Amino acid sequence: MDLIRTPDQNKERKRLNKENIFKDFEIDKSLLSLGKGKKYFLYTYGCQENESDSEKIRGMLSLLSFKETTIIEEADLILMNTCAIRKNAEDKVFGELGRLKQLKREKPEIITALCGCMSQEESVVDKIMKKYQNVDLVFGTHNIASLPNLLNTVMTSHDRVIDVLSYEGDITEKIPVERQNKIKAWIPIMYGCDEFCTYCIVPYTRGKERSRLPENILNEVQSLIKDGYKEVTLLGQNVNAYGKDFTDRDYDFADLLEDLSHMNIERVRFTTSNPKDLSDRQIEVLSKGGNLMPYLHLPVQSGSSKVLKKMNRGYTREDYLDRVEKIRKAIPDISLTTDIIVGFPFETEEDFQETLSLVQECGFEGAFTFIFSKREGTPASKFVDESITDEIAHERLYRLNNVVNEGYKKGNERFLGKNVKVLIEGYSKKENDILMGYTEHNKLVNVKGDKKYIGQIVNCLITKAKTWSLDGEISKEQYS
Ligand code: 5AD
Ligand code: SF4
């Protein structure tokens, strides 16, 4: 009999005052050969959180003896780890699912699974149940650790399994992680989001804000150092709120940064920060530098206080500018980037002009820019403003991108003729003998050099600044 538990966005909206439940991943030994002789193909859409979840999916599938393939026709199991942040992300997945119908017709024994943020949406699961019989398994973001058991049910019973939990998730530690990058690692430090910005689906799809215990995070970093990792990026929807949910200790994001700054990892980055929760103490810790990188992604979303209020961002234009001033005073050469949404309901041309002027005032060196996308079940999906047509939204995006691109270029030009430290990651995709890596300020550098430098932090002289990248050469003088 099919197992069906579907999501309920009304329940997902609720925040019960219950304490975090910490568990350790467990697996029934009888499942360890479930995937013997079988291959899987994994699609990952969306943000770093999803990339990080995919590393756990890979880890669990390896434990079950599955092997990964990059050739979809070879796969016995196809998984789609999906993103729900904007409609176009969802359209891509449905397009792909449509194409996979044909593959399933040719090879009916293939198992197709859908997980990630889309699986937490009522409308998506409803559509899959009605129109996509080719999907055998749907599981949500809260029960990713149940993948071995769910797969076992599908493979042994051949039933359809839809198992999506709507309540806030627990924190499951010790899920095996298979990282593809051997130099830089993602580390989730918290899950979920309690902000409820009116446009955003994340608080529904990822549940209550809950923090991992610092000792687990620090141990993970320690073992990455042992494995030769050079850089960690701490992940969370709002890392500045880290620790707010602890009831047994007084420990926040500034404390975590401070502890990490004393560890032997070369580089520490984090994403994403909500300006509202960026405390003076966090700025102070960050300003000590060392392994804490001089780079901050600080999504503003809009330069108009009126729009920010409608977005429920919890700060005004002035508050944001004040934060930026404090940051620049503490860390003058920091590289700042942001996220911006245009065409939000009731955004007038004047509001949009305020966004343009804020971008210039803040000196952003990059921005992810988006047209507002209605997400079912969020408050903003009910804001009706017919004055913003598709054409107006696209035209605003175009004008914004022109200003943002100037910032990218200026941000790169300031390093021309300078020596910078580059963590070399590998060969550039475009040219074979050119190495690529990132500077402390998170600038992409291409440099000619030997493969012995891969995984090393190398001193490079910047010889050319382009809009999206820098060219350099390996300096004669190297730091040890
Ligand atoms: N429409 C457009 N952009 C959105 N974002 C989040 N939700 C939406 C939406 N409904 C953007 C925000 C956020 C980034 C990850 O995606 O700018 O910071
Ligand atoms: Fe969405 Fe706002 Fe939470 Fe970011 S802080 S994930 S934009 S609700």
Side-chain angles (χ1 to χ4, degrees), residues 2 7 10 25 58 90 145 160 211 260 272 321 388 407 430 449:
D2 292 356
N10 271 327
F25 174 76
R58 285 196 174 90
E90 292 193 2
R160 202 171 193 211
S211 308
L260 287 164
T272 286
L321 290 172
I388 301 175
K430 287 187 205 134

Side-chain angles (χ1 to χ4, degrees), residues 85 192-204 206 209 236-238 272-277 299 301 311-313 339 341:
I85 199 101
C193 181
D194 283 351
E195 292 306 324
F196 290 97
C197 300
T198 53
Y199 49 81
C200 188
I201 193 82
V202 169
Y204 308 83
R206 293 260 168 194
E209 207 160 78
Q237 297 300 336
N238 176 12
T272 286
S273 297
N274 189 315
K276 167 173 110 19
D277 293 315
Q301 312 300 358
M311 289 176 164
N312 190 32
R313 288 291 287 175
D339 288 349
I341 298 175

Side-chain angles (χ1 to χ4, degrees), residues 50 57 65 156 168 172 275 277 388 413-414 446 458:
N50 265 20
I57 291 172
S65 307
T156 51
E168 52 247 62
T172 309
D277 293 315
I388 301 175
E413 280 169 350
R414 73 185 172 107
N446 290 307
V458 176

Side-chain angles (χ1 to χ4, degrees), residues 25-90:
F25 174 76
E26 282 173 10
I27 186 162
D28 189 323
K29 293 220 163 41
S30 67
L31 301 185
L32 296 179
S33 54
L34 186 72
K36 214 167 198 136
K38 295 192 187 303
K39 292 185 178 164
Y40 75 91
F41 183 98
L42 173 62
Y43 290 88
T44 305
Y45 298 92
C47 65
Q48 292 98 331
E49 253 88 1
N50 265 20
E51 293 287 347
S52 167
D53 281 350
S54 280
E55 294 182 339
K56 291 179 184 160
I57 291 172
R58 285 196 174 90
M60 288 186 281
L61 291 175
S62 284
L63 202 62
L64 299 174
S65 307
F66 281 93
K67 292 256 174 304
E68 184 164 14
T69 175
T70 51
I71 303 164
I72 196 155
E73 290 76 13
E74 265 183 23
D76 305 283
L77 168 64
I78 298 173
L79 297 107
M80 297 182 122
N81 188 6
T82 61
C83 168
I85 199 101
R86 282 169 294 276
K87 186 166 178 300
N88 53 8
E90 292 193 2

